[in-house]
């Protein structure tokens, strides 16, 4: 018999399995995530920059770390690819009220991904995690846009390099 650990962890895993089914069946464009191979409590995915935003055309990788008492507690969500944004710390951590004090246990993986994608469209300047990005956005939007586009290009280069390495070692 497979042991799931604590009751809370078992509840979290059951919920994440339901979240996975919902996400798989979703028709939402521009968001994707799936559990890691090692544990259901860590998911890897990406968010596509929303159309009409400075991040349009960008693909930004994220990792979601779910606590054992999810959905009562929110996951930690971190960008693992380059991004320049007023609400994202330099280490990739996201400053988003819905993932902190405004967490609602009814949020699921899909809604979390959509919240992150929405943040790319509409930064919250009242509590910047990256003061440099916030200041630049307010001072010179064109320069801000150039820095964001440079991040998008860097991510594309990194992704191309990874794909080339996979082909070289016969990963496919």
């Amino acid at each position: 018999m497979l042991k799931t650990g604590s009751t809370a962890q078992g509840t979290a895993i059951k919920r994440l399995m339901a979240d996975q089914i919902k996400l798989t069946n979703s028709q939402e464009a521009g968001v994707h995530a799936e559990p890691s191979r090692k544990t259901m409590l860590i998911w890897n995915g990406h968010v596509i920059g929303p159309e009409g935003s400075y991040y349009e055309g960008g693909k930004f990788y994220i990792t979601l770390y779910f606590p054992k008492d999810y959905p009562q507690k929110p996951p930690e969500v971190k960008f693992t690819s380059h991004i320049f944004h007023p609400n994202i710390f330099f280490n990739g951590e996201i400053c988003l009220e819905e993932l902190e004090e405004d967490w609602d246990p009814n949020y699921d993986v899909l809604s979390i991904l959509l919240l992150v994608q929405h943040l790319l469209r509409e930064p919250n300047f009242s509590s910047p995690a990256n003061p440099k990005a916030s200041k630049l956005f307010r001072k010179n939007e064109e320069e801000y846009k150039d820095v964001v586009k440079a991040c998008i290009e860097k991510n594309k280069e990194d992704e191309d390099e990874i794909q080339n390495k996979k082909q070289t070692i016969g990963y496919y």
Side-chain angles (χ1 to χ4, degrees):
M1 182 171 160
L2 181 65
K3 293 174 84 175
T4 60
S6 71
T7 303
Q9 183 175 342
T11 301
I13 290 172
K14 286 178 187 175
R15 169 62 185 273
L16 286 167
M17 290 170 72
D19 287 2
Q20 183 178 20
I21 291 168
K22 180 178 178 184
L23 185 60
T24 301
N25 293 329
S26 169
Q27 298 299 313
E28 289 292 336
V31 296
H32 173 77
E34 57 190 34
S36 71
R37 292 181 179 157
K38 294 181 180 179
T39 176
M40 192 74 173
L41 297 176
I42 299 174
W43 288 45
N44 297 301
H46 66 263
V47 177
I48 303 294
E51 194 174 308
S53 75
Y54 293 124
Y55 301 89
E56 182 176 355
K59 186 176 187 180
F60 302 95
Y61 289 92
I62 60 173
T63 299
L64 299 91
Y65 301 92
F66 292 93
K68 292 178 181 178
D69 51 356
Y70 172 80
Q72 298 310 311
K73 301 284 186 196
E76 177 186 343
V77 182
K78 290 181 76 169
F79 279 86
T80 57
S81 55
H82 305 283
I83 189 158
F84 186 72
H85 189 281
N87 302 113
I88 301 168
F89 291 96
F90 293 107
N91 67 358
E93 290 182 14
I94 300 171
C95 183
L96 182 61
E97 292 171 356
E98 290 85 354
L99 294 176
E100 297 167 4
E101 65 272 359
D102 290 345
W103 172 252
D104 182 335
N106 291 314
Y107 290 144
D108 56 22
V109 174
L110 176 60
S111 60
I112 293 166
L113 295 170
L114 293 172
L115 284 167
V116 171
Q117 189 179 50
H118 181 76
L119 185 66
L120 296 182
R121 180 184 302 284
E122 295 184 23
N124 177 359
F125 293 102
S126 65
S127 62
N130 183 337
K132 183 178 177 181
S134 182
K135 184 177 179 181
L136 184 59
F137 184 88
R138 290 183 167 159
K139 182 180 171 187
N140 186 338
E141 273 191 65
E142 282 305 310
E143 189 176 338
Y144 177 88
K145 184 178 180 179
D146 290 343
V147 172
V148 169
K149 293 300 176 197
C151 285
I152 290 170
E153 289 306 312
K154 174 73 172 130
N155 290 339
K156 286 179 182 176
E157 290 170 12
D158 289 351
E159 189 169 356
D160 288 345
E161 185 177 324
I162 289 168
Q163 294 304 322
N164 288 338
K165 285 181 181 177
K166 285 180 177 179
Q167 288 176 348
T168 301
I169 62 171
Y171 187 80
Y172 297 109

